[in-house]
Amino acid sequence: MSENKEVITENYSLNDDRRVKVLSPGALVAKRFFRNRLAVFGLSILIFMFLFSFVGGLVSPYDEKQTFYREDFQNKEFAGVVINDEFRYAAAPEKDFGGVLNAQAYLAISSGQSEFIYKAVKYTVTNHGEDFYSFYTDGELIGIAYKDIVNMSDANETIDFDFMFASLAAKSANEKSFEYKGETYTIDKDDGVFKNGTEVAYISRFIARPILPDVFLTRDFKQQLELAIETKDDEFTFTDTDGTVAEYTLKYNAGDNNWSVMQSMATRVLDTYSAPSKSHWLGTDKSGMDMLTRIMYGGRVSLIIGFIVVIIETVIGVVLGGLAGYFGKWVDMLIMRIVDVFYCIPSMPIMLIIGAAMDEYNVDPQIRMLYLMLILGFLGWPGIARLVRGQILSLREQEFMIAAEASGISVPRRIFKHLLPNVIPQLIVTMTMGIGSTIITESTLSFLGLGVRFPFASWGNIINDVTDVHVLTSYWFVWIPAGVCLLVTVLAYNLVGDGLRDAFDPKMKR
Amino acid sequence: MRKYIIKRLLISVVILFFVAFAIYALMRCLPTSYLESIARQKSLQPNSKSFEEWMEQLSAIYSMDKGIVPGFFSWLGNVLQGNFGDSWKWTVPVVEKFKDTVWVSFVMGAIAFVLELIIAIPLGVIAATKQYSKVDSLISIIALAGISLPTFFFASLLKLVFSVKLGWFDLFGLVGRNHETLDAMGKLLDKAHHLVLPIVTLVVVSIGGLMRYTRTNMLEVLNADYIRTARAKGLPERKVIYHHAFRNTLIPLVTIIGGSLPGLFSGALITETLYAINGIGFASYHSLISGDIPFSMFYLVFLAVLTLVGNLISDILYAVVDPRVRIA
């Protein structure tokens, strides 16, 4: 290709225009701009920040408002355990086997009597085996005294007296099976009671009571617990039927002769302020959200707000400044006084007042963002209006405008075709720098909690966490990355603006 | 000249009137949460009037019962008699609170301003004389970084490094814990010690603008014909720059410096709030966000006056310093 070109150029005569490469004004500006190393550096930062914010948000595996949890171990009082070494009494259905009778029965048992008389009624005592007695009057069973306790395997079933009697009788007589309601039950060596091979109950001297009312202690758990108590272990792990693993710690309390069981259970808590790791490159913030993703979305908000505010400013500024500059006289006078008034209204305090008022009215965060942009734009236009007016005032007097007027071009065409294009270079520079300063204003407001609000992220409200001294001292990753993004972006805008200014007019150096 | 000044002053008064009205209208459109909370408190006391009655009475006391326009004129009438009312937030007369706080801000601002001048002007001159050199790029980048640095972020960084890691300064406040036990000199030093970080913050974030302004003007002067003449007649470069060029650079500098003098009284809203320095900026921040109308009105109008005075001073200085400029 290049060879081909050279051949062609050689064919042109010396004074042929095509021999000289002619660049359009735009190309000249671009050429000058790209020669400025700082400006190109700034431009590449800007491109990077835009990709980071807009594409990064899509690439990131997480969502702006996605919260993360971590497992945290907490020790909770889980159950209390005692070994039953006292007789317990149970009355047969619809029989009276109350307090005094219980005491009489105990006396009879401890003195080894086979019968006793209470209130002229004779009671016979039957010893079925170790620590199990039953009491009869007139051949009818009225109650039992026992130390081994029958627990149902199913939490929803209540213990039936007859079943308890039958199983305890079998157990104390060391029998391997017993009959109850026409069915055969077997007792294994661990004192489990089985019906057709499934465990329906178990017999144990341990009484374990859960602290929380809605917890049911399973047989397996109790067995583990017994084992731990027998082997004098302080700790054991238990996996329940759901597969949840928990660590348990036993503490013996000699005074009450009981054990308290502490469960250290993994609970899900918000993964706040976790340090940078593989899954969260910049850690997480105070709500357990991924920092890097928040910064990406915050970048979107900050960059978009900067753009929109500057566009609003420019539209108002160009229209009013243009009117004032072109028409002069009383229009100029009026508009410039309005500009003066706006110039004197301090924008930061006004934004603070409005921010606080929006807090008071509980404005929705999204609408709030919109208001923020509108107000910032509305307060920021006087500078641009002054610039445009000044430019137009001086351009209006130049020869090319007289020529335009003389050739009978209409007023709108004169303004938009001949006047405004000459203002655009200055305007672009001011706008570029304006975006930078708008981003700072927005982030300052958000930092103070009066701008963009949670759950939306903005670089300013990410750094807001630093007002917590604890964050300032210990969690650099929460606020420094966002601050660096902010600084770098604004710096890049300023560098590009500077470069554009030099490129548009090499003589115009301010 | 006198005619010009009088004309400018008259225009300023008109502008001020509209600024004050705009601010007053804005403040009145806000929820009067302050009055409501007082009324609620009072109505909760035993045997008290109802909330509505209190609200009515309080509105009358604070002249909030009038419409915006009559309310503004009654405010203006009071102000013209020198009465700015009582601050709701600070429960003292506005002027008293102002007198309490403004001097801290002024001292802070003045020291920062002097430091700025001392650092920015020489650096700007150096950058201009060595245009396109590495020093120039470095200074330009520093200046731009200063402009681009958000105050709150820089202040947090300073706190992290100097207060937390090195422990040289306190995180907040103007006085230390044992301030009361110190003698007069010690108290002064204690305050000075607490002002170091805020002043550094102020200087760094505002130094860039002045530096660039100096550089631009110096460049302009260095391109002027009389500099070429000075060089042509064989003057040493040092003399050309510091005798011929620098003096002419001073013209725009003096005007801008003069223009920013009134601003020293305006306080640093953000910086003072970040460091909890009880200056005018800090006081007004809390007044602004709590809807304290008398104090906010006073502060905002005060800022507008400072802006107008600053503009006027710089315009007059421009004519005074540069004999080529005539104003009519």
Side-chain angles (χ1 to χ4, degrees):
Chain A
M1 269 305 276
S2 61
E3 248 176 69
N4 209 0
K5 230 178 195 170
E6 270 168 34
V7 173
I8 293 170
T9 28
E10 273 170 20
N11 288 342
Y12 293 137
S13 70
L14 260 181
N15 59 354
D16 193 323
D17 276 350
R18 282 170 293 182
R19 233 176 55 87
V20 183
K21 205 176 163 197
V22 179
L23 287 175
S24 70
L28 271 177
V29 167
K31 204 177 154 198
R32 278 202 294 266
F33 180 81
F34 286 110
R35 228 171 24 203
N36 185 338
R37 246 184 289 157
L38 278 180
V40 173
F41 175 65
L43 188 67
S44 36
I45 291 179
L46 275 189
I47 293 172
F48 172 76
M49 282 330 276
F50 268 87
L51 287 178
F52 174 77
S53 307
F54 289 90
V55 181
L58 302 175
V59 173
S60 161
Y62 310 124
D63 198 35
E64 183 184 8
K65 293 157 206 163
Q66 186 178 355
T67 48
F68 294 90
Y69 297 88
R70 66 162 170 249
E71 308 262 282
D72 203 13
F73 284 95
Q74 288 180 331
N75 264 327
K76 279 190 293 197
E77 190 106 20
F78 184 66
V81 181
V82 285
I83 293 185
N84 185 36
D85 53 1
E86 279 175 11
F87 275 108
R88 290 171 168 239
Y89 306 94
E94 293 161 33
K95 290 285 185 290
D96 182 34
F97 191 54
V100 186
L101 208 49
N102 287 352
Q104 292 288 339
Y106 180 67
L107 277 174
I109 293 168
S110 47
S111 57
Q113 290 165 338
S114 62
E115 52 182 51
F116 63 94
I117 297 172
Y118 175 65
K119 284 193 179 171
V121 183
K122 200 171 100 182
Y123 297 90
T124 34
V125 181
T126 318
N127 185 358
H128 295 266
E130 196 194 345
D131 294 333
F132 182 59
Y133 299 87
S134 57
F135 304 93
Y136 296 86
T137 168
D138 301 334
E140 255 186 278
L141 180 64
I142 58 148
I144 51 174
Y146 57 93
K147 281 188 180 175
D148 289 315
I149 292 156
V150 180
N151 304 279
M152 302 308 286
S153 298
D154 186 350
N156 302 322
E157 260 183 63
T158 47
I159 300 174
D160 182 65
F161 176 81
D162 291 331
F163 177 75
M164 186 156 84
F165 177 75
S167 51
L168 282 176
K171 150 92 170 115
S172 48
N174 280 330
E175 281 167 16
K176 290 283 170 252
S177 64
F178 62 93
E179 296 272 326
Y180 170 66
K181 285 189 179 169
E183 305 225 33
T184 310
Y185 293 81
T186 51
I187 302 175
D188 73 352
K189 60 179 184 351
D190 288 329
D191 297 335
V193 181
F194 291 86
K195 178 170 105 177
N196 302 332
T198 47
E199 192 185 67
V200 290
Y202 57 92
I203 302 163
S204 161
R205 275 202 186 181
F206 283 91
I207 309 170
R209 274 206 199 82
I211 302 290
L212 293 173
D214 56 342
V215 175
F216 176 70
L217 302 178
T218 59
R219 172 78 212 275
D220 288 342
F221 177 76
K222 282 186 182 171
Q223 264 182 345
Q224 280 258 5
L225 196 60
E226 279 174 36
L227 196 74
I229 289 172
E230 274 163 19
T231 56
K232 297 207 165 64
D233 270 344
D234 282 348
E235 286 175 356
F236 66 97
T237 20
F238 177 72
T239 317
D240 71 7
T241 44
D242 300 337
T244 329
V245 184
E247 296 253 340
Y248 296 90
T249 327
L250 283 171
K251 218 175 78 192
Y252 180 63
N253 189 342
D256 310 341
N257 189 28
N258 68 1
W259 286 263
S260 55
V261 183
M262 311 283 279
Q263 181 191 40
S264 90
M265 181 82 172
T267 26
R268 263 159 65 89
V269 291
L270 277 176
D271 190 11
T272 54
Y273 297 134
S274 71
S277 61
K278 251 183 203 158
S279 49
H280 302 293
W281 288 0
L282 286 177
T284 54
D285 68 357
K286 69 172 169 205
S287 330
M289 298 177 180
D290 182 57
M291 222 46 244
L292 186 65
T293 313
R294 291 288 281 178
I295 292 178
M296 287 169 178
Y297 281 92
R300 280 189 194 185
V301 170
S302 295
L303 293 170
I304 290 179
I305 288 185
F307 252 96
I308 295 184
V309 168
V310 167
I311 288 173
I312 296 174
E313 277 177 12
T314 311
V315 169
I316 305 179
V318 167
V319 169
L320 291 182
L323 287 176
Y326 191 81
F327 291 106
K329 291 183 193 130
W330 66 269
V331 180
D332 184 30
M333 178 71 190
L334 182 72
I335 290 177
M336 287 333 278
R337 290 296 84 80
I338 295 175
V339 167
D340 283 341
V341 168
F342 268 87
Y343 211 73
C344 279
I345 293 179
S347 58
M348 198 48 155
I350 294 289
M351 285 309 303
L352 292 180
I353 294 174
I354 294 174
M358 287 200 278
D359 272 359
E360 200 76 34
Y361 285 125
N362 277 328
V363 177
D364 179 74
Q366 198 150 13
I367 298 173
R368 195 187 166 105
M369 218 142 64
L370 192 73
Y371 282 151
L372 182 75
M373 292 187 271
L374 287 177
I375 296 164
L376 280 177
F378 192 64
L379 288 173
W381 61 270
I384 291 185
R386 276 191 176 172
L387 173 94
V388 172
R389 170 185 174 265
Q391 284 289 304
I392 286 184
L393 272 183
S394 71
L395 286 171
R396 202 177 56 169
E397 305 302 325
Q398 286 187 11
E399 284 89 350
F400 73 91
M401 282 315 290
I402 301 170
E405 204 176 341
S407 51
I409 300 173
S410 67
V411 173
R413 205 177 152 75
R414 276 208 305 261
I415 294 179
F416 291 105
K417 231 25 209 184
H418 296 268
L419 220 43
L420 278 184
N422 284 298
V423 188
I424 279 178
Q426 291 241 354
L427 212 52
I428 289 179
V429 173
T430 317
M431 282 171 76
T432 317
M433 300 235 174
I435 294 177
S437 60
T438 307
I439 291 177
I440 288 193
T441 313
E442 178 273 323
S443 63
T444 306
L445 283 170
S446 303
F447 173 79
L448 294 171
L450 300 166
V452 177
R453 291 294 286 267
F454 189 83
F456 292 99
S458 117
W459 286 336
N461 72 15
I462 290 172
I463 305 176
N464 174 266
D465 275 8
V466 85
T467 42
D468 181 352
V469 176
H470 192 48
V471 175
L472 173 72
T473 54
S474 329
Y475 305 119
W476 63 270
F477 51 85
V478 173
W479 58 281
I480 290 190
V484 171
C485 284
L486 193 56
L487 169 63
V488 163
T489 308
V490 178
L491 183 62
Y493 269 116
N494 282 330
L495 286 174
V496 170
D498 234 26
L500 281 175
R501 178 169 15 226
D502 289 354
F504 277 127
D505 182 0
K507 271 189 279 174
M508 180 185 75
K509 281 226 170 70
R510 274 184 67 83
Chain B
M1 185 74 170
R2 180 177 296 159
K3 217 172 142 193
Y4 172 77
I5 294 175
I6 289 170
K7 191 182 148 207
R8 280 290 299 265
L9 281 176
L10 286 177
I11 294 177
S12 297
V13 169
V14 175
I15 292 173
L16 207 55
F17 175 83
F18 283 107
V19 169
F21 181 73
I23 297 171
Y24 186 83
L26 177 73
M27 299 250 18
R28 282 295 300 271
C29 294
L30 302 180
T32 51
S33 56
Y34 172 81
L35 290 188
E36 273 168 26
S37 64
I38 290 189
R40 197 159 294 130
Q41 240 172 42
K42 296 242 181 209
S43 63
L44 284 179
Q45 284 167 1
N47 302 327
S48 174
K49 288 181 272 190
S50 72
F51 172 73
E52 283 76 21
E53 279 176 272
W54 269 116
M55 202 59 208
E56 220 168 88
Q57 190 181 341
L58 285 168
S59 301
I61 292 173
Y62 291 109
S63 60
M64 297 288 288
D65 52 344
K66 297 172 195 152
I68 289 179
V69 177
F72 175 67
F73 281 103
S74 82
W75 176 85
L76 195 64
N78 284 329
V79 165
L80 290 178
Q81 292 163 27
N83 175 20
F84 281 93
D86 296 341
S87 163
W88 298 349
K89 165 92 186 165
W90 309 102
T91 59
V92 288
V94 166
V95 180
E96 199 177 296
K97 182 72 190 169
F98 171 70
K99 280 181 189 156
D100 278 353
T101 52
V102 75
W103 293 110
V104 176
S105 295
F106 177 73
V107 168
M108 208 169 100
I111 296 174
F113 190 61
V114 170
L115 286 176
E116 250 170 65
L117 295 182
I118 293 175
I119 299 171
I121 295 179
L123 284 183
V125 170
I126 290 171
T129 51
K130 299 185 174 156
Q131 198 187 3
Y132 300 133
S133 70
K134 279 200 177 122
V135 183
D136 180 30
S137 313
L138 189 69
I139 291 175
S140 296
I141 288 187
I142 292 174
L144 275 178
I147 295 173
S148 313
L149 205 53
T151 312
F152 59 92
F153 180 59
F154 185 62
S156 303
L157 280 180
L158 283 183
K159 280 182 180 180
L160 179 65
V161 174
F162 293 102
S163 302
V164 178
K165 298 279 181 221
L166 296 174
W168 290 355
F169 303 101
D170 287 355
L171 277 175
F172 299 108
L174 180 60
V175 292
R177 240 175 307 174
N178 50 1
H179 181 74
E180 290 309 316
T181 63
L182 298 168
D183 55 6
M185 192 60 197
K187 279 184 180 174
L188 191 70
L189 285 177
D190 185 42
K191 282 189 178 175
H193 183 241
H194 282 84
L195 280 178
V196 171
L197 284 189
I199 289 177
V200 169
T201 311
L202 278 181
V203 169
V204 170
V205 298
S206 51
I207 203 168
L210 192 62
M211 219 189 281
R212 281 161 61 82
Y213 192 74
T214 313
R215 177 177 176 271
T216 314
N217 284 299
M218 190 72 184
L219 278 178
E220 217 160 82
V221 172
L222 283 175
N223 284 330
D225 290 341
Y226 53 85
I227 295 296
R228 198 177 303 135
T229 313
R231 284 202 178 117
K233 69 181 183 186
L235 283 179
E237 187 65 16
R238 210 169 47 86
K239 196 158 190 185
V240 173
I241 288 168
Y242 294 101
H243 220 256
H244 292 238
F246 182 61
R247 288 191 173 190
N248 280 293
T249 314
L250 278 179
I251 295 173
L253 280 183
V254 165
T255 61
I256 203 174
I257 291 167
S260 44
L261 281 180
L264 297 182
F265 289 95
S266 67
L269 199 70
I270 306 295
T271 311
E272 283 174 21
T273 309
L274 290 173
Y275 289 100
I277 302 287
N278 194 12
I280 181 88
F282 181 70
S284 35
Y285 174 76
H286 287 284
S287 295
L288 290 167
I289 60 171
S290 60
D292 172 359
I293 294 182
F295 196 87
S296 306
M297 275 304 291
F298 171 78
Y299 181 63
L300 294 175
V301 172
F302 177 64
L303 285 188
V305 171
L306 292 181
T307 313
L308 287 170
V309 172
N311 284 348
L312 187 60
I313 290 181
S314 71
D315 284 356
I316 294 170
L317 271 181
Y318 200 49
V320 171
V321 181
D322 192 344
R324 289 170 298 183
V325 176
R326 285 217 191 134
I327 45 180

